[in-house]
Amino acid sequence: GQNIDQPTEMTATEGAIVQINCTYQTSGFNGLFWYQQHAGEAPTFLSYNVLDGLEEKGRFSSFLSRSKGYSYLLLKELQMKDSASYLCAVSPDNYGQNFVFGPGTRLSVLP
Amino acid sequence: ETGVTQTPRHLVMGMTNKKSLKCEQHLGHNAMYWYKQSAKKPLELMFVYSLEERVENNSVPSRFSPECPNSSHLFLHLHTLQPEDSALYLCASSQDRGVTGELFFGEGSRLTVL
């Protein structure tokens, strides 16, 4: 089966750093994605990891360890607009279209 | 024009109604998807079309019927739905089958079944 776990909710303070973890157990692995979804809006792509290590993109970074089935999304210099749900998704097969999503982590950034 | 457009944004229907959700993508992608998003549940893949051919159907009840007339348009036909089908239905597209790339989502159609 396919399983992805994330914390349900997190709270952090404006200006701080927060790390959102994701663990996965899938039949195969062809990449891990992070999406951001504001309430009432479409999910938007944040990052993609297929090799082990850290990918940095501005205030956001994503890390992957394939041997541990583990990823995290790191958000630095938090802003109020970062309050959203963060979805971890894995592509488990070589066709690249069968994405398995985690339940999402709802992040609240407080002033 | 936004990348992926869904209509209607909100839909309320009775269990005996027949309605359709529409999705249009302006990105030149070859793959399109329907996902269901229920409260406190992961996104559930319903259907995948690649080059207008259905390639995935995740045991979705027959009261949901997809249609993909061309690579830019995707429909989800709804009939005799149940209250538990109330959810946000998201359409997405991606570049091509066999190329792992990110999904581009529409804003979703919020469906309420009475």
mmCIF file of all heavy atoms in Angstrom, chain B residues 8-24:
data_model
loop_
_atom_site.group_PDB
_atom_site.id
_atom_site.type_symbol
_atom_site.label_atom_id
_atom_site.label_comp_id
_atom_site.label_asym_id
_atom_site.label_seq_id
_atom_site.Cartn_x
_atom_site.Cartn_y
_atom_site.Cartn_z
ATOM 1 N N PRO B 8 -18.477 24.966 -12.511
ATOM 2 C CA PRO B 8 -18.655 26.144 -11.666
ATOM 3 C C PRO B 8 -17.753 26.078 -10.446
ATOM 4 O O PRO B 8 -17.213 25.027 -10.112
ATOM 5 C CB PRO B 8 -20.128 26.024 -11.268
ATOM 6 C CG PRO B 8 -20.381 24.550 -11.217
ATOM 7 C CD PRO B 8 -19.557 23.963 -12.338
ATOM 8 N N ARG B 9 -17.591 27.170 -9.750
ATOM 9 C CA ARG B 9 -16.803 27.172 -8.518
ATOM 10 C C ARG B 9 -17.596 26.564 -7.362
ATOM 11 O O ARG B 9 -17.012 25.958 -6.459
ATOM 12 C CB ARG B 9 -16.376 28.588 -8.153
ATOM 13 C CG ARG B 9 -15.396 29.217 -9.137
ATOM 14 C CD ARG B 9 -14.018 28.513 -9.106
ATOM 15 N NE ARG B 9 -13.491 28.380 -7.770
ATOM 16 C CZ ARG B 9 -12.841 29.344 -7.127
ATOM 17 N NH1 ARG B 9 -12.644 30.513 -7.709
ATOM 18 N NH2 ARG B 9 -12.376 29.142 -5.898
ATOM 19 N N HIS B 10 -18.893 26.741 -7.396
ATOM 20 C CA HIS B 10 -19.759 26.184 -6.359
ATOM 21 C C HIS B 10 -20.968 25.545 -7.014
ATOM 22 O O HIS B 10 -21.510 26.084 -7.981
ATOM 23 C CB HIS B 10 -20.226 27.281 -5.390
ATOM 24 C CG HIS B 10 -19.114 27.964 -4.673
ATOM 25 N ND1 HIS B 10 -18.576 27.479 -3.497
ATOM 26 C CD2 HIS B 10 -18.413 29.080 -4.972
ATOM 27 C CE1 HIS B 10 -17.601 28.284 -3.100
ATOM 28 N NE2 HIS B 10 -17.476 29.256 -3.984
ATOM 29 N N LEU B 11 -21.371 24.402 -6.479
ATOM 30 C CA LEU B 11 -22.519 23.685 -7.030
ATOM 31 C C LEU B 11 -23.264 22.995 -5.898
ATOM 32 O O LEU B 11 -22.669 22.285 -5.096
ATOM 33 C CB LEU B 11 -22.053 22.656 -8.062
ATOM 34 C CG LEU B 11 -23.120 21.783 -8.713
ATOM 35 C CD1 LEU B 11 -24.084 22.635 -9.514
ATOM 36 C CD2 LEU B 11 -22.469 20.737 -9.614
ATOM 37 N N VAL B 12 -24.567 23.232 -5.859
ATOM 38 C CA VAL B 12 -25.437 22.528 -4.910
ATOM 39 C C VAL B 12 -26.421 21.708 -5.725
ATOM 40 O O VAL B 12 -27.043 22.226 -6.645
ATOM 41 C CB VAL B 12 -26.205 23.520 -4.001
ATOM 42 C CG1 VAL B 12 -27.117 22.755 -3.035
ATOM 43 C CG2 VAL B 12 -25.232 24.403 -3.230
ATOM 44 N N MET B 13 -26.531 20.431 -5.423
ATOM 45 C CA MET B 13 -27.432 19.587 -6.192
ATOM 46 C C MET B 13 -28.106 18.562 -5.304
ATOM 47 O O MET B 13 -27.567 18.164 -4.254
ATOM 48 C CB MET B 13 -26.700 18.892 -7.344
ATOM 49 C CG MET B 13 -25.531 18.023 -6.939
ATOM 50 S SD MET B 13 -24.593 17.426 -8.370
ATOM 51 C CE MET B 13 -25.731 16.255 -9.104
ATOM 52 N N GLY B 14 -29.301 18.158 -5.734
ATOM 53 C CA GLY B 14 -30.011 17.099 -5.054
ATOM 54 C C GLY B 14 -29.509 15.751 -5.539
ATOM 55 O O GLY B 14 -28.795 15.645 -6.540
ATOM 56 N N MET B 15 -29.883 14.718 -4.833
ATOM 57 C CA MET B 15 -29.383 13.380 -5.144
ATOM 58 C C MET B 15 -29.901 12.856 -6.480
ATOM 59 O O MET B 15 -29.301 11.946 -7.059
ATOM 60 C CB MET B 15 -29.728 12.415 -4.010
ATOM 61 C CG MET B 15 -28.928 12.663 -2.743
ATOM 62 S SD MET B 15 -29.099 11.351 -1.519
ATOM 63 C CE MET B 15 -30.706 11.733 -0.868
ATOM 64 N N THR B 16 -30.974 13.428 -6.981
ATOM 65 C CA THR B 16 -31.508 12.925 -8.249
ATOM 66 C C THR B 16 -31.072 13.773 -9.444
ATOM 67 O O THR B 16 -31.415 13.461 -10.577
ATOM 68 C CB THR B 16 -33.049 12.884 -8.203
ATOM 69 O OG1 THR B 16 -33.526 14.206 -7.898
ATOM 70 C CG2 THR B 16 -33.526 11.914 -7.120
ATOM 71 N N ASN B 17 -30.326 14.841 -9.186
ATOM 72 C CA ASN B 17 -29.915 15.737 -10.276
ATOM 73 C C ASN B 17 -28.801 15.134 -11.116
ATOM 74 O O ASN B 17 -28.091 14.207 -10.684
ATOM 75 C CB ASN B 17 -29.423 17.069 -9.705
ATOM 76 C CG ASN B 17 -30.534 17.899 -9.086
ATOM 77 O OD1 ASN B 17 -30.276 18.748 -8.260
ATOM 78 N ND2 ASN B 17 -31.767 17.653 -9.485
ATOM 79 N N LYS B 18 -28.647 15.732 -12.300
ATOM 80 C CA LYS B 18 -27.488 15.437 -13.155
ATOM 81 C C LYS B 18 -26.807 16.764 -13.447
ATOM 82 O O LYS B 18 -27.461 17.709 -13.906
ATOM 83 C CB LYS B 18 -27.916 14.806 -14.478
ATOM 84 C CG LYS B 18 -28.403 13.376 -14.387
ATOM 85 C CD LYS B 18 -28.673 12.827 -15.775
ATOM 86 C CE LYS B 18 -29.169 11.391 -15.699
ATOM 87 N NZ LYS B 18 -29.417 10.832 -17.058
ATOM 88 N N LYS B 19 -25.526 16.831 -13.169
ATOM 89 C CA LYS B 19 -24.761 18.043 -13.420
ATOM 90 C C LYS B 19 -23.381 17.664 -13.933
ATOM 91 O O LYS B 19 -22.983 16.484 -13.862
ATOM 92 C CB LYS B 19 -24.603 18.869 -12.128
ATOM 93 C CG LYS B 19 -25.897 19.382 -11.523
ATOM 94 C CD LYS B 19 -26.456 20.555 -12.310
ATOM 95 C CE LYS B 19 -27.705 21.091 -11.625
ATOM 96 N NZ LYS B 19 -28.313 22.210 -12.398
ATOM 97 N N SER B 20 -22.644 18.656 -14.415
ATOM 98 C CA SER B 20 -21.286 18.404 -14.896
ATOM 99 C C SER B 20 -20.332 19.471 -14.393
ATOM 100 O O SER B 20 -20.699 20.646 -14.290
ATOM 101 C CB SER B 20 -21.258 18.396 -16.432
ATOM 102 O OG SER B 20 -22.017 17.320 -16.937
ATOM 103 N N LEU B 21 -19.130 19.062 -14.092
ATOM 104 C CA LEU B 21 -18.041 19.976 -13.781
ATOM 105 C C LEU B 21 -17.141 20.070 -15.011
ATOM 106 O O LEU B 21 -16.902 19.076 -15.700
ATOM 107 C CB LEU B 21 -17.219 19.464 -12.586
ATOM 108 C CG LEU B 21 -17.985 19.133 -11.313
ATOM 109 C CD1 LEU B 21 -17.030 18.648 -10.235
ATOM 110 C CD2 LEU B 21 -18.792 20.321 -10.833
ATOM 111 N N LYS B 22 -16.640 21.286 -15.233
ATOM 112 C CA LYS B 22 -15.810 21.504 -16.417
ATOM 113 C C LYS B 22 -14.433 22.005 -16.009
ATOM 114 O O LYS B 22 -14.288 22.776 -15.058
ATOM 115 C CB LYS B 22 -16.474 22.534 -17.332
ATOM 116 C CG LYS B 22 -15.675 22.866 -18.589
ATOM 117 C CD LYS B 22 -16.363 23.958 -19.396
ATOM 118 C CE LYS B 22 -15.497 24.375 -20.577
ATOM 119 N NZ LYS B 22 -16.111 25.479 -21.353
ATOM 120 N N CYS B 23 -13.434 21.558 -16.742
ATOM 121 C CA CYS B 23 -12.060 21.989 -16.514
ATOM 122 C C CYS B 23 -11.414 22.298 -17.854
ATOM 123 O O CYS B 23 -11.587 21.536 -18.830
ATOM 124 C CB CYS B 23 -11.286 20.901 -15.791
ATOM 125 S SG CYS B 23 -9.540 21.269 -15.532
ATOM 126 N N GLU B 24 -10.663 23.384 -17.903
ATOM 127 C CA GLU B 24 -9.961 23.758 -19.127
ATOM 128 C C GLU B 24 -8.547 24.184 -18.755
ATOM 129 O O GLU B 24 -8.350 24.952 -17.816
ATOM 130 C CB GLU B 24 -10.697 24.902 -19.821
ATOM 131 C CG GLU B 24 -10.111 25.301 -21.152
ATOM 132 C CD GLU B 24 -10.965 26.350 -21.872
ATOM 133 O OE1 GLU B 24 -12.039 26.713 -21.345
ATOM 134 O OE2 GLU B 24 -10.551 26.786 -22.961
#
